[in-house]
Amino acid sequence: MINKFCKQPLWECNKTLIAVAQGQQPAETVIRGAKLVNVCTHEIQEGIDVAISCGRIAYVGADAGHCIGPDTLVIDAQGSYLAPGFLDGHIHIESSMMGAAEYGKAVVPHGTTGIYWDPHEVANVVGLAGVQVMVEDSKRTPLKAMVTTPSCVPAVPGFEDTGSAIGPDEVRETMDWDSVVGLGEMMNFPGVLAGADHPLGEMSATLQADKCITGHYSIPETDRGLNAYVASGVRSCHESTRAEDALAKIRLGMYAKFREGSAWHDLHDLAPAIAQGNLDTRFCCLISDDTHPHTLTTVGHLDHILRRAVQEGIDPITAIQMVTINTATCFHMDNELGAVAPGKCADLVLLDNLTDFNVSLVMIDGDLVAKDGSPLFTVAEASYPDWITHTMHMAPGQVITPESFAIPAVDGGGNPVEGDAATVRVMEAIPARVGNYERHLRVPVVDGKLVSVPEQDILKCFVFERHHGTGSFGYGFTTGFGIRGALAQTVAHDAHNLLVVGSNDKDMALAANTLIECGGGAVAVCDGEVRGLAKLPVAGLMSDAPLEVISEQAAGLAKAWAEIGCSMPSPFMTMGLLSLACLPELRLTNKGLVDCTTFQFVPLVVEEERAPEA
């Protein structure tokens, strides 16, 4: 695949690199005396010099003195470890609540020099036009923002209403974009296994362009189904939550991406698959998937994930391979990225040790872009078109009131429920995990309505369509959040409709209307008072404010969540998955409850078995 992300293509500058390597022409930059983390051989080489010209590496060896001229920048790296720049093999920028440029400003100082991002969040709201807006924004920083075209807009066709749709023709069009390197996570694995034309058409367009298909296989079946999924051309998957899942994928030649995001803490369970050191780890990567802004500003990005990997017993050099050469190879870009070697792009980091992974210096294409945790570049205030900052399109005349949250006590056939209680399907959220459980719990019936049971943490959950003004909505119950009050957000994967959870109808109405008025975001309400609010007017997903402001709003929101009773990590992200109909077990969309093991709509009230008549 032709790399469009480096300063100069190799065919334009290889003559210069040849001359610099032999001392016939001075280098632009020389790094001296580093401890090289050689990801090609899994070793540390002491006292290594690196010479750079044209944004690429010309020489790696014991003495680059012959490459130094009067104008050469010389960097003394004595005592520091030199590693390739870190590559995140699967992320969604939108989950950081910030635009692409602000995201770049946040992660580059932590050693991240490239990302493979799937902008399917913004695509679900405003389509490929929104993706193009984000691509242009990303160009305002040196971060290599490599796009994987969203494959599942909607995530699971027929189960939700999105703001846009993408199919094989649109995917084929994007394969000619300079920014695109592959296809975003193919969440519609049921469609792939069924041989459906829509997902296979998108995959064919990608394979014909010789680009990488990224995957999403979130079920524990690892025999016939997984084999079929890999055989279809899917190259990677980040949805393993058990060591045996990751191991099964690696054994089939699929890249297993070990996830450690703000809310999804999978490394602890996945690391045992490789921590013993007796397996080849070339098919293993470390990724973040979704990272909260407060996480980025407090603990970091891939540097933090490297720390976590080592804490879980993964060898430090192996861990670095998992964010460099392995990731580059997964995307057919290891000829250009992922290693400190002649001819490669000079994307480099200096580290003080291989335990804390403190990043002291970052280079992209041979340019110094960050030092001691701060970017050496500036990002001007963002400017977005009106159509992407006004995306709350509720139904004309639709007014959300406390009465909007009444849930009729009827069975699947629309018949009134008899008695003063009913057994209902409840979505149980699991802290630090993407999956949930379907529980069958009893809730009271009052005046023909099903009601919340806050003392048992059984809360109402509603999803209102917000893209086309249809007025449609779905309802159900959830547990696991432990809050008193209400929460609402327009970050509701993947359709990003208006999601509301609460213990009482009045607070739920206030939460919903607060977001409608501000154009989207996330809010926490209790006792008729807004306790925390993050305004996200860009597609209802991102802020147009600087990183520092976004992080402060996110921290305030997290504090509000805790104050009203929620103790799970990054609950904002866990709540946002309640509507994602491609993850097991039970989800809610604007069209109703979805059994995500059988991919069927199911009624809220569970049919109870009657005792046989005597």
Side-chain angles (χ1 to χ4, degrees):
M1 190 187 75
I2 300 297
N3 171 21
K4 304 290 181 65
F5 296 91
C6 293
K7 182 183 291 185
Q8 277 188 262
L10 186 56
W11 62 81
E12 287 184 1
C13 61
N14 55 0
K15 187 173 183 179
T16 298
L17 299 179
I18 291 167
V20 171
Q22 298 178 89
Q24 299 163 356
Q25 183 174 327
E28 296 170 14
T29 303
V30 169
I31 300 172
R32 307 214 72 175
K35 301 175 183 177
L36 175 63
V37 182
N38 195 320
V39 296
C40 300
T41 55
H42 195 281
E43 65 177 328
I44 303 295
Q45 293 179 269
E46 299 277 351
I48 295 297
D49 291 0
V50 175
I52 300 165
S53 279
C54 307
R56 292 179 177 269
I57 297 168
Y59 171 89
V60 180
D63 185 2
H66 63 290
C67 304
I68 298 174
D71 298 321
T72 301
L73 172 65
V74 178
I75 297 172
D76 183 3
Q78 293 288 339
S80 295
Y81 291 86
L82 177 65
F86 306 151
L87 302 170
D88 193 333
H90 178 73
I91 71 106
H92 307 286
I93 287 177
E94 303 96 312
S95 295
S96 71
M97 299 185 181
M98 64 188 85
E102 286 294 328
Y103 179 86
K105 189 173 78 173
V107 302
V108 166
H110 292 284
T112 303
T113 58
I115 59 172
Y116 295 88
W117 58 300
D118 181 351
H120 70 205
E121 320 295 4
V122 72
N124 269 282
V125 180
V126 287
L128 288 179
V131 174
Q132 290 175 318
V133 168
M134 291 191 69
V135 167
E136 289 305 309
D137 189 31
S138 74
K139 294 177 182 178
R140 301 194 295 133
T141 79
L143 177 70
K144 293 179 178 178
M146 296 166 278
V147 174
T148 59
T149 300
S151 67
C152 293
V153 181
V156 186
F159 287 91
E160 60 190 351
D161 287 317
T162 58
S164 187
I166 292 175
D169 290 342
E170 290 79 13
V171 168
R172 186 170 290 104
E173 171 196 335
T174 66
M175 289 299 135
D176 291 330
W177 294 6
D178 287 349
S179 57
V180 170
V181 299
L183 187 68
E185 57 178 303
M186 178 49 72
M187 292 181 285
N188 187 11
F189 61 86
V192 174
L193 299 189
D197 290 341
H198 188 279
L200 292 185
E202 294 182 340
M203 296 164 70
S204 294
T206 307
L207 294 172
Q208 289 168 20
D210 193 28
K211 296 185 179 181
C212 178
I213 300 172
T214 62
H216 174 118
Y217 191 81
S218 58
I219 59 176
E221 193 281 335
T222 56
D223 187 39
R224 296 183 184 184
L226 180 59
N227 270 271
Y229 193 62
V230 176
S232 74
V234 177
R235 190 162 170 84
S236 66
C237 177
H238 63 281
E239 287 295 339
S240 300
T241 57
R242 307 177 305 168
E244 54 264 43
D245 297 336
L247 186 57
K249 292 167 186 175
I250 295 164
R251 284 172 170 162
L252 295 177
M254 172 181 263
Y255 282 83
K257 295 175 177 176
F258 292 33
R259 173 173 51 196
E260 188 77 2
S262 293
W264 333 129
H265 301 171
D266 295 329
L267 254 179
H268 177 72
D269 293 316
L270 297 180
I274 60 171
Q276 288 79 13
N278 57 350
L279 290 177
D280 191 319
T281 57
R282 73 182 76 184
F283 287 105
C284 302
C285 302
L286 292 169
I287 59 104
S288 65
D289 197 0
D290 294 307
T291 307
H292 199 274
H294 196 54
T295 300
L296 294 175
T297 57
T298 55
V299 298
H301 184 221
L302 289 171
D303 54 340
H304 163 65
I305 298 175
L306 285 168
R307 286 190 286 274
R308 287 287 301 115
V310 171
Q311 289 166 4
E312 295 295 345
I314 296 176
D315 172 80
I317 302 177
T318 298
I320 291 176
Q321 288 177 318
M322 293 169 70
V323 293
T324 57
I325 193 168
N326 293 9
T327 305
T329 305
C330 175
F331 286 93
H332 308 296
M333 298 180 74
D334 52 305
N335 61 319
E336 298 271 53
L337 307 176
V340 181
K344 302 283 197 290
C345 298
D347 302 339
L348 308 168
V349 297
L350 284 180
L351 309 164
D352 62 357
N353 63 69
L354 300 185
T355 302
D356 299 322
F357 296 96
N358 297 316
V359 177
S360 60
L361 183 144
V362 184
M363 301 181 78
I364 297 179
D365 288 337
D367 296 328
L368 291 172
V369 293
K371 187 175 182 180
D372 298 328
S374 298
L376 298 178
F377 56 92
T378 58
V379 177
E381 185 177 346
S383 176
Y384 295 99
D386 286 346
W387 55 264
I388 202 172
T389 57
H390 294 81
T391 60
M392 293 296 291
H393 304 303
M394 308 301 288
Q398 183 178 17
V399 178
I400 294 182
T401 66
E403 290 69 34
S404 302
F405 296 94
I407 299 179
V410 297
D411 62 21
N415 303 306
V417 172
E418 298 179 1
D420 58 2
T423 301
V424 298
R425 290 179 168 86
V426 178
M427 298 175 288
E428 181 182 346
I430 308 170
R433 291 290 183 269
V434 298
N436 71 9
Y437 298 126
E438 176 180 331
R439 301 301 189 197
H440 294 174
L441 305 175
R442 297 285 284 178
V443 300
V445 175
V446 180
D447 296 329
K449 305 292 190 296
L450 301 171
V451 299
S452 298
V453 193
E455 60 273 17
Q456 296 179 29
D457 187 29
I458 304 175
L459 310 176
K460 287 183 179 179
C461 183
F462 274 67
V463 177
F464 296 91
E465 194 277 325
R466 72 163 177 107
H467 302 298
H468 305 291
T470 65
S472 65
F473 60 90
Y475 50 75
F477 290 91
T478 187
T479 186
F481 293 99
I483 61 120
R484 180 177 61 86
L487 308 159
Q489 53 195 63
T490 50
V491 179
H493 302 282
D494 271 340
H496 300 294
N497 286 306
L498 174 58
L499 171 63
V500 189
V501 167
S503 64
N504 68 86
D505 299 346
K506 288 184 178 179
D507 282 346
M508 292 176 77
L510 175 57
N513 287 315
T514 298
L515 295 189
I516 292 171
E517 291 168 9
C518 74
V523 64
V525 170
C526 189
D527 296 331
E529 177 187 354
V530 174
R531 301 291 186 89
L533 173 63
K535 297 181 180 180
L536 306 175
V538 183
L541 304 172
M542 297 168 284
S543 174
D544 54 1
L547 165 64
E548 296 76 16
V549 174
I550 303 167
S551 180
E552 184 178 349
Q553 287 186 358
L557 187 63
K559 180 181 178 183
W561 274 74
E563 288 174 349
I564 66 176
C566 188
S567 60
M568 70 170 61
S570 295
F572 167 86
M573 291 187 167
T574 302
M575 177 177 159
L577 295 185
L578 289 177
S579 55
L580 184 50
C582 63
L583 288 175
E585 297 178 351
L586 183 67
R587 305 287 162 169
L588 176 68
T589 76
N590 68 296
K591 291 188 174 185
L593 280 172
V594 183
D595 181 331
C596 298
T597 61
T598 63
F599 291 95
Q600 295 177 330
F601 287 109
V602 291
L604 174 58
V605 174
V606 179
E607 293 276 347
E608 297 187 22
E609 293 186 6
R610 297 181 181 272
E613 295 183 6

